[in-house]
């Protein structure tokens, strides 16, 4: 064999030996599969998806309630013991109205001390009558007793680099854990504050709203999430889930693309959502089956989020922008 050929063979053998040694000796990275209830998807063309058709129900009368100078920007809503509690994120107050929307009391002002707020967004109450106000701008939850006296605050962090991303919705569990959610695409999931103020997170691909009743906390995602450079969301699959042991547990899949901005569960177990698909309060059965939508509310400025509550025979929706409420009242 010629010397040149021998040299070429030796060089080739040396190359293969180096490659084999590199593959054998290089530590292999462990691929950790994230346990998640809501998987990531690839971005889709919405035009190719099949959406349900609306079925209007005429048993409710639609009205737009003008709150005048009582409320500048209504967000969180709660009806309790004959009073309607409206979180005003513009005037940084908690406004209490009667069933005819007449003013009973205003609590709070701009600031960061007790009963002072910076862009409050949500409100809920527990079985003992305590109130929990999501004071988003101050990154805390203020807890008031049944007489609306300040009890304590619970500080939290928003795990997102985007300062515009804030928690909008709040729920309280039987274990006194506080659950916070919103459209937090920088770090999707649900924040948890226990009664000692220690924060944890349901680290799921969740962007949506939470609702609590009877010590149980429920969640519905807005739609599907995808990831390219960062996280994004689009109208798609919606699930009603219950939070148990700091995990999301699916109960039912809702109609495709219904786009749940906020929701509640009534005494019959029906789910009532403020649907971005229909721009209307929409009823869904216990098993996720579509029932009907109410009349479409007017085209008014509305953010990606909203708040909904029931008041006697009415369903109320705040649009998070102006001093109006959407009211659907059952006809008699």
């Amino acid at each position: 064999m010629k010397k040149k050929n021998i040299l070429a063979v030796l060089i080739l053998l040396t190359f293969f030996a180096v490659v084999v040694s590199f593959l054998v000796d290089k530590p292999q990275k462990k691929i950790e599969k994230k346990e998640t209830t809501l998987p990531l998807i690839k971005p889709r063309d919405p035009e190719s998806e099949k959406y349900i058709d609306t079925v209007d129900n005429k048993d409710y009368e639609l009205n737009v309630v003008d709150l005048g100078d009582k409320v500048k920007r209504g967000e969180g809503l709660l009806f309790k013991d004959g009073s309607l509690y409206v979180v005003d994120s513009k005037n940084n107050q908690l406004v209490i109205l009667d069933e005819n929307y007449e003013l009973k009391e205003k609590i709070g002002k701009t600031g960061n001390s007790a009963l002072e707020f910076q862009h409050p967004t949500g409100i809920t109450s527990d079985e003992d009558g305590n109130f929990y106000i999501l004071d988003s701008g101050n990154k805390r939850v203020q807890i008031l007793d049944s007489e609306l006296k300040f009890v304590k605050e619970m500080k939290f962090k928003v795990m997102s680099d985007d300062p515009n991303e804030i928690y909008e919705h709040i729920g309280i569990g039987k274990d006194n854990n506080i659950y916070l959610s919103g459209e937090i695409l920088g770090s999707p999931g649900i924040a948890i504050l226990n009664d000692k103020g220690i924060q944890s997170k349901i680290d799921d691909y969740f962007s949506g709203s939470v609702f609590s009743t009877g010590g149980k906390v429920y969640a519905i995602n807005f739609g599907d999430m995808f990831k390219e450079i960062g996280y994004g969301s689009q109208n798609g699959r919606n699930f009603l889930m219950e939070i148990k042991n700091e995990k999301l547990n699916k109960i039912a899949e809702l109609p495709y693309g219904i786009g749940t901005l906020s929701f509640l569960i009534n005494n019959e177990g029906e789910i009532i959502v403020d649907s971005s698909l229909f721009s209307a309060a929409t009823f869904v059965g216990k098993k996720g089956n579509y029932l009907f939508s109410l009349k479409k509310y007017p085209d008014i400025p509305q953010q990606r989020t909203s708040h909904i509550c029931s008041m006697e025979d009415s369903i109320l929706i705040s649009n998070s922008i102006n001093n109006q409420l959407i009211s659907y009242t059952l006809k008699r």
Side-chain angles (χ1 to χ4, degrees):
M1 185 179 293
K2 294 182 179 180
K3 290 184 178 181
K4 288 185 179 180
N5 292 340
I6 294 173
L7 182 60
V9 171
L10 289 174
I11 292 173
L12 189 60
L13 290 173
T14 302
F15 173 76
F16 280 120
V18 170
V19 171
V20 170
S21 175
F22 176 79
L23 292 175
V24 171
D25 295 338
K26 184 179 179 181
Q28 298 296 308
K29 290 184 179 180
K30 292 183 179 181
I31 301 175
E32 297 183 2
K33 186 177 180 181
K34 180 178 177 181
E35 291 187 6
T36 175
T37 305
L38 301 170
L40 288 176
I41 55 94
K42 293 181 179 180
R44 302 181 307 266
D45 177 12
E47 298 298 325
S48 66
E49 305 297 338
K50 184 177 181 181
Y51 297 94
I52 57 176
D53 293 325
T54 179
V55 179
D56 291 330
N57 182 292
K58 304 185 185 306
D59 293 338
Y60 287 79
E61 181 181 358
L62 170 65
N63 288 292
V64 177
V65 180
D66 190 339
L67 298 176
D69 58 0
K70 303 184 197 80
V71 175
K72 185 71 174 178
R73 180 180 294 173
E75 299 215 28
L77 299 174
L78 174 69
F79 182 73
K80 186 178 178 67
D81 299 328
S83 294
L84 176 64
Y85 298 83
V86 183
V87 174
D88 187 342
S89 66
K90 190 71 173 178
N91 286 334
N92 295 313
Q93 291 179 321
L94 176 63
V95 181
I96 301 99
L97 307 173
D98 65 17
E99 297 173 59
N100 297 314
Y101 308 105
E102 296 298 326
L103 180 65
K104 295 176 71 172
E105 187 178 1
K106 289 185 178 183
I107 294 175
K109 62 180 180 178
T110 303
N112 52 26
S113 298
L115 295 178
E116 295 180 351
F117 305 96
Q118 292 278 2
H119 196 93
T121 52
I123 183 172
T124 191
S125 64
D126 62 20
E127 294 178 299
D128 295 323
N130 299 307
F131 295 87
Y132 298 76
I133 301 175
L134 178 49
D135 188 5
S136 295
N138 285 320
K139 292 183 172 59
R140 64 180 179 176
V141 175
Q142 292 197 53
I143 302 175
L144 315 183
D145 64 17
S146 59
E147 302 297 322
L148 297 174
K149 304 297 183 184
F150 177 82
V151 177
K152 64 178 179 178
E153 68 174 30
M154 309 282 275
K155 301 288 286 187
F156 61 80
K157 294 181 180 179
V158 180
M159 303 301 182
S160 174
D161 295 330
D162 187 344
N164 295 315
E165 292 190 333
I166 61 174
Y167 292 120
E168 293 279 355
H169 302 279
I170 181 170
I172 180 74
K174 189 170 289 185
D175 51 8
N176 289 326
N177 283 352
I178 299 170
Y179 299 86
L180 308 175
S181 73
E183 192 181 16
I184 311 294
L185 298 181
S187 179
I190 298 174
I192 307 172
L193 294 173
N194 68 15
D195 56 3
K196 295 180 180 178
I198 299 174
Q199 182 171 346
S200 57
K201 181 184 177 186
I202 299 176
D203 193 16
D204 216 325
Y205 300 122
F206 180 89
S207 175
S209 59
V210 295
F211 170 77
S212 58
T213 179
K216 294 183 178 182
V217 184
Y218 300 92
I220 296 181
N221 60 313
F222 174 77
D224 290 319
M225 293 201 67
F226 59 88
K227 187 173 183 180
E228 290 183 316
I229 299 175
Y231 291 108
S233 66
Q234 63 186 22
N235 216 350
R237 299 181 73 188
N238 301 246
F239 297 93
L240 172 68
M241 296 165 281
E242 184 179 353
I243 301 175
K244 290 183 178 179
N245 301 318
E246 299 193 4
K247 290 185 177 180
L248 291 173
N249 297 273
K250 290 180 182 177
I251 297 176
E253 181 170 359
L254 277 60
Y256 185 89
I258 198 169
T260 302
L261 298 171
S262 58
F263 74 100
L264 61 87
I265 300 175
N266 64 19
N267 294 332
E268 288 72 39
E270 296 171 327
I271 310 156
I272 307 175
V273 311
D274 178 15
S275 168
S276 65
L277 177 62
F278 298 128
S279 295
T282 300
F283 283 64
V284 179
K286 298 177 183 179
K287 296 183 179 180
N289 52 304
Y290 176 76
L291 298 176
F292 55 83
S293 290
L294 302 185
K295 186 177 179 180
K296 180 178 179 180
Y297 48 68
D299 291 328
I300 53 179
Q302 185 179 35
Q303 293 178 342
R304 184 73 176 267
T305 186
S306 73
H307 295 84
I308 187 171
C309 81
S310 59
M311 184 178 75
E312 301 296 344
D313 293 332
S314 297
I315 299 165
L316 302 178
I317 297 173
S318 63
N319 59 35
S320 304
I321 290 292
N322 54 29
N323 60 344
Q324 296 176 337
L325 295 178
I326 302 300
S327 169
Y328 293 98
T329 304
L330 189 63
K331 296 177 183 178
R332 300 192 181 192

